[in-house]
Amino acid sequence: MDKKPVPALRDTYREYFDIGAAVNLETIVSQKDVLTAHFNSITAENDMKFERVHPEEDVYTFEAADRIADFAAAHGMKLRGHTLVWHNQTPDWVFAGKDGRPADRETLLARMKDHIDTVVGRYKGIAYAWDVVNEAVEDKADVWLRRSPWLDLIGEDFIANAFEFAHAADPQAVLFYNDYNECQPEKRDKIIRLVRGLKERDVPIHGVGLQGHWNLYGPSLDTIREAVEQYAALGLQLQITELDLSVFEFEDRRTDLLAPTPEMVERQEELYEKVFALFREYKEVLTAVTFWGASDDYTWLDGFPVRGRKNWPFVFDVNHQPKGSFWKISDFR
Ligand code: HAH
């Protein structure tokens, strides 16, 4: 019997938004088939992060990042830059001053500017967008910004400075603030307050990245809808930047599953169907939906929050074949 032809996700969503995937040097080889068949945008999962491209003060290492940029160009895909200023995956030298003391504010700002000038400058006209600041808002409801060396040594305006430097380095680039737990109401409200404050001060920010690390048990569709609605009211473009629908609730530490249970499969299909229907409703503000990977053979969730535990968060299976979830987000016309 003939198999049903598999429509490319990027074609199904042509009139809605771009369809992206996070990649690394292994997956651009091992997942080349599914990446080139379905996606029209990529993000480097790790290879453009501070520690990868700027491991020492006078050393920039762009080999891996360049290969990812070349892969995008070779296959006619857009490239999102990820990420410039973050508390994680940033080397210690960045924050170190003289005699074992922390760097002073001016030194750290100068290092930030040099980093952003060099990295954004290198991919000018190649990366159309950047996650300029990642995860600066605190999860705990009673704390405003996350404590980090950026905040401690520069102060709150490290965020505005990062956007100013990025805009100066590439005036065409679409600049995002990106965060997780973005639908959780208290954190959502803080992210909105932060972005609104930046806009009011004419800081060059153009979009909000909703990471979308969700699972089958939350956030609820109503919570997601409320968040998208409120972010949309900012008047900036939105992107889902790191989508994955984990089959495990965050607190679930089980390690015994060799495959998703039938209940997980069913819930995941239903959730994919609903979230993409919601995304389609917001096509006027939502410009891209990027998965944090492509197919279930590789996901960062295999190592987080439980190391070595398999997860199956995507719409393509471990053999890169479409899952039921793929058909749920493809057959809507
Ligand atoms: C993201 N943090 C990062 O933006 C991305 O660069 C990394 O590769 C993976 C996830 C999300 C995150 C989380 O979901 C839970 C706790 C901390 C950070």
Side-chain angles (χ1 to χ4, degrees), residues 88-104:
N88 263 336
Q89 292 180 265
T90 303
D92 292 339
W93 70 260
V94 178
F95 308 113
K98 292 195 177 67
D99 313 319
R101 285 199 300 266
D104 58 53

Side-chain angles (χ1 to χ4, degrees), residues 182-183 188 191-192 208 210 227-235 238:
E182 70 292 320
C183 294
R188 175 200 71 203
I191 295 169
I192 288 172
V208 183
L210 318 184
V228 171
E229 183 68 31
Q230 295 212 16
Y231 287 118
L234 283 166
L238 306 181

Side-chain angles (χ1 to χ4, degrees), residues 45-46 49 82 86 89 134-135 178 180 211 213 242 250 292 300 304:
E45 182 188 27
N46 289 304
K49 289 174 180 171
H82 176 80
W86 190 26
Q89 292 180 265
N134 203 29
E135 305 176 351
N178 190 49
Y180 71 97
Q211 289 187 8
H213 293 295
E242 306 187 13
F250 193 75
W292 208 236
W300 74 297
F304 180 87

